[in-house]
Amino acid sequence: MTTAHTLVAEAVTLAYGDRTVVEELDLRVDDGRITVIVGANACGKSTLLRALARLLPPSGGRVLLDGKELHRQPTKEVARTLGLLPQSPVAPEGIVVADLVARGRSPHQRLLSRWSGADDLAVAEALDLTGTSDLADRVVDELSGGQRQRVWIAMALAQRTDILLLDEPTTYLDICHQVEVLDLLTDLNRDRGTTIVMVLHDLNLAARYADRLVALSRGRIVASGDPSEVLTPAVIRTVFGMSSEVVPDPVSGRPMVLPVGRHHSGRLAATA
Amino acid sequence: MTTTLVSVTSGRLGRARSRALLTGILAAVVVALVATSLMVGQTFYGPGEVLRVVLGQHVPGASFAVGELRLPRTTLALVAGLALGLAGVTFQTMLHNPLASPDVIGISSGASAAAVVAIVVLRLPESLVSLVAIGAALLTALVIYLLAYRDGVVGTRLILIGIGISAMLDSVVSYVIVRAATWDLQTAMRWLTGSVNGAVWSTVAPLTLAVLVLAPVLLAQARPLRLMQHGDDAAAALGVPVERTRVIAILAAVGLVALATAAAGPIAFVAFLAGPIAARIVGPGTSLMVPAALVGAVLVLGADLVGQHAAGNRYPVGVVTGVLGAPYLVHLLIRTNRAGGSP
Ligand SMILES: Nc1ncnc2c1ncn2[C@@H]1O[C@H](COP(=O)(O)OP(=O)(O)O)[C@@H](O)[C@H]1O
Ligand SMILES: [Mg+2]
């Protein structure tokens, strides 16, 4: 259903003004897999995602989509292959869900082109996949946080891109809605082959849902690969400056991080 | 799936139909107001006589009253209203803030101050006044933008700076008017609050031409501008060339405001009110540009009729729109204050 793509960052340096945030970073996004980026606050996760989505031109190095430099391609053309859900998108006051989701069709439309049956189909499918069809006529401002997040994902789905980048899609959601959103993205990846790159805060959910985990610290990749290779106490100490225990997650068998902290570590002290 | 598809399609068609209907009604109101302002005055002329004059035939009496006096005035009210409504909603959409309209943030005041200085101090001919007004409006927009810029432009800061600049420029207008003792009250009022009194073709024509050129330019940006309501990143991710859209929209909207102001003065609050009223009428979710332009025309034409005929005195149009707009401005400022930033 999707065609194969390559998305590669080659020695990219990313800066705001003269402030460098990411330096000479290399990353090859695995086609058809789920890549999750983790790291401390302000380490450059959003910045990296923005560069991968053509929103921030690199000050050094380059980002290649299918072998062609991303910033040399028209925005609209890129938007047909690669979608991004930013960290905090704004819904215009009073807009209804179906209209917002329909805006995901924009990259497929021309100035005076008419709305087509294919557009309606893409919108309906996005609503169904995200379980928001019942909300279609509701006003977005009046939805709960979880519902709203699913609607934004529906908009990104209506864009029908083979690559989807998401910046903290689960932040502000309760645990049940977090799992729901991540399950939905996994469905999308498994059923359609959509390549997913997302930033997540929760290390344990990241370990569970990632095919590949990328740990970022101060704009550099500290470790990258299978979650079981990346989530080690040593990497966690480098990235978050915190000591931790890593045990197998009884549900998935993936690694599970237990932060140690200064209190409540009685048993650990006793066994040590 | 199929049920969702059916409901998506029917929901979209239903909303599109009701928007088209409401926009059509607005257009009909504009036409009715144009007709009324051409017919009503010291002497009443019927639709037949008015139509003959508009078509260029000679009708004794009516040819002068309608052709020479009412037609330029009504045309000015119509195109100034369209221009201000369109420019206002463009700024409000782009900066996602109803307070960010060109008349609140000082762009109209820039055009107005420059026009007054050009006429009174520099004694420039009419044709140059429009150009000076455009230059000054662009300069004002640039100054406000630069003053508000700090790691990107934050709406609230831009608005506060704009309101300050606007107050300064308004005092320039007052100063020049007080100095120019030879001016009659009518001309002074035009530059203080905006008025379509004494409209002449030499100023109405450039504005009409500008609307014919710039309105399509802005309408072509309607879709990208609408997506920019989601924030720059979200819009760019949907394929919008954000910077280019912003530059085109600012230049076209400032041009419209400047020419409308050069022709009719800074008609108070039309740019500010048109967008929110249009949103109330047709609902959000789609482009408000056409409805807002029509609401702008309704406001100026309607306020001029009220100012001329309804009150005992003859008030310039800006006084009437000012009375309408000021309470809404206060309401929004209070709401901004409560919300701690953005209304
Ligand atoms: N638009 C911007 N202008 C200037 N600095 C920015 C901007 N966006 C982010 N930064 C800075 O870049 C650094 C990395 O930010 P970001 O990529 O958002 O971090 P993360 O998403 O990992 O929390 C931070 O120090 C932040 O302050
Ligand atoms: Mg971030």
Side-chain angles (χ1 to χ4, degrees), chain A residues 50 55 75 79 86 90 92-94 98-100 103 106-107 109-111 115 120-121 124-125 127-128 133 137 155 159, chain B residues 1 4-5 8-9 11-12 15 19 220 223 226-227 229-231 233-234 236-241 284-286 335:
Chain A
R50 295 182 69 223
L55 305 186
T75 332
V90 189
E93 203 177 15
D99 282 345
L100 184 69
R103 291 184 174 195
S106 311
Q109 290 167 337
R110 302 191 168 279
L111 178 57
W115 185 264
D120 275 336
L121 195 64
E125 197 184 78
L127 291 170
D128 275 340
S133 5
D137 295 320
M155 183 178 103
Q159 199 175 340
Chain B
M1 183 72 221
T4 311
L5 180 58
V8 162
T9 312
R12 174 176 60 75
R15 283 190 297 276
R19 278 178 209 133
R223 191 140 66 186
R226 202 164 77 195
L227 295 174
Q229 290 178 313
H230 303 166
D233 276 4
L238 288 171
V240 173
T286 181
R335 226 176 78 178

Side-chain angles (χ1 to χ4, degrees), chain A residues 91-268:
Chain A
E93 203 177 15
I95 192 169
V96 297
V97 169
D99 282 345
L100 184 69
V101 174
R103 291 184 174 195
R105 299 302 298 157
S106 311
H108 301 278
Q109 290 167 337
R110 302 191 168 279
L111 178 57
L112 293 173
S113 71
R114 297 223 127 239
W115 185 264
S116 71
D119 292 322
D120 275 336
L121 195 64
V123 171
E125 197 184 78
L127 291 170
D128 275 340
L129 275 172
T130 51
T132 49
S133 5
D134 294 341
L135 307 176
D137 295 320
R138 296 266 302 274
V139 174
V140 176
D141 318 320
E142 294 163 6
L143 302 179
S144 75
Q147 290 172 324
R148 205 174 307 163
Q149 194 60 19
R150 278 186 290 155
V151 168
W152 282 113
I153 292 175
M155 183 178 103
L157 294 192
Q159 199 175 340
R160 291 247 175 123
T161 57
D162 293 342
I163 305 173
L164 188 54
L165 313 180
L166 304 103
D167 197 351
E168 301 194 17
T170 56
T171 307
Y172 308 121
L173 300 185
D174 62 36
I175 184 72
C176 144
H177 285 111
Q178 291 184 29
V179 170
E180 204 177 284
V181 164
L182 293 172
D183 278 344
L184 163 67
L185 293 170
T186 307
D187 288 341
L188 196 68
N189 170 257
R190 302 243 166 101
D191 301 344
R192 287 220 204 148
T194 306
T195 304
I196 290 177
V197 182
M198 60 181 154
V199 174
L200 289 181
H201 256 307
D202 188 308
L203 290 178
N204 297 326
L205 289 177
R208 187 176 298 180
Y209 285 92
D211 293 318
R212 176 171 172 210
L213 206 56
V214 175
L216 211 61
S217 174
R218 298 204 190 132
R220 285 170 192 278
I221 294 180
V222 174
S224 158
D226 192 86
S228 62
E229 297 161 20
V230 172
L231 279 192
T232 62
V235 170
I236 292 163
R237 176 172 295 282
T238 316
V239 173
F240 295 98
M242 162 191 92
S243 46
S244 61
E245 284 270 294
V246 177
V247 298
D249 173 350
V251 177
S252 64
R254 302 277 181 107
M256 184 163 89
V257 177
L258 304 173
V260 174
R262 289 191 294 109
H263 303 283
H264 315 294
S265 51
R267 274 186 52 196
L268 197 69

Side-chain angles (χ1 to χ4, degrees), chain B residues 2 36 39 69 75 78 94 103-104 136 139 252 268:
Chain B
T2 35
T36 311
M39 293 188 301
L69 299 180
T75 309
L78 172 68
M94 194 166 50
D103 44 356
V104 175
L139 188 68

